[in-house]
Amino acid sequence: MAEAEPSFKDPRWSLKGVTALVTGGTKGIGYAIVEELAALGAAVHICSRNQTEINERVREWESKGFKLSGSVCDLTSKAQREELIKTVSSVFHGKLNILILL
Ligand SMILES: NC(=O)c1ccc[n+]([C@@H]2O[C@H](COP(=O)([O-])OP(=O)(O)OC[C@H]3O[C@@H](n4cnc5c(N)ncnc54)[C@H](OP(=O)(O)O)[C@@H]3O)[C@@H](O)[C@H]2O)c1
């Protein structure tokens, strides 16, 4: 019998211990990327401009057992981008492995 093709759900694929920042993680492409990274075990931080939506997404993902955090950031603002990096550095203790900028 032919061996099954490896998939991203294969237990050999793991992002446990890996940290990721996904901007625009509350909707669309960002949301889908967060789902995949977190399902593989990564700790993910998201940002968007809407605190209520961030809270809803974090609650939703925490209920699935994902390691998630989020904070508000308008990426058009240099000051808010700098604040985001400080927050992420604090949350992940200075280690960021994956950066998804949308
Ligand atoms: N969907 C496609 O087929 C497609 C194709 C090619 C390229 N793209 C590009 O890929 C990116 C994502 O597309 P999408 O369809 O996933 O969009 P989307 O569903 O509108 O999601 C955009 C995400 O980014 C956040 N966001 C928007 N402006 C922001 C800002 N200034 N600061 C921080 N967060 C911000 C949004 O949250 P808030 O609005 O609450 O801040 C939301 O979480 C866009 O740049 C789009 O142009 C999309």
Side-chain angles (χ1 to χ4, degrees):
M1 198 164 89
E3 203 173 308
E5 285 293 314
S7 83
F8 287 110
K9 304 300 177 198
D10 189 307
R12 285 174 294 182
W13 290 92
S14 172
L15 292 177
K16 279 193 174 37
V18 170
T19 62
L21 168 61
V22 181
T23 66
T26 57
K27 291 179 208 155
I29 296 167
Y31 178 98
I33 291 172
V34 173
E35 287 258 303
E36 289 300 316
L37 293 176
L40 286 166
V44 184
H45 189 90
I46 61 166
C47 79
S48 79
R49 293 166 297 180
N50 185 317
Q51 182 72 65
T52 306
E53 285 184 2
I54 290 171
N55 294 345
E56 285 168 5
R57 295 291 85 76
V58 170
R59 267 199 302 276
E60 175 190 332
W61 283 319
E62 280 179 345
S63 73
K64 293 183 179 181
F66 295 168
K67 293 191 195 80
L68 249 296
S69 56
S71 57
V72 167
C73 176
D74 183 339
L75 291 165
T76 62
S77 157
K78 183 171 189 273
Q80 290 190 37
R81 289 197 303 272
E82 288 172 351
E83 195 54 40
L84 173 67
I85 293 308
K86 277 189 202 157
T87 301
V88 170
S89 177
S90 166
V91 169
F92 292 148
H93 310 290
K95 184 185 104 166
L96 182 64
N97 301 116
I98 298 172
L99 172 61
I100 308 285
L101 280 176
L102 292 169

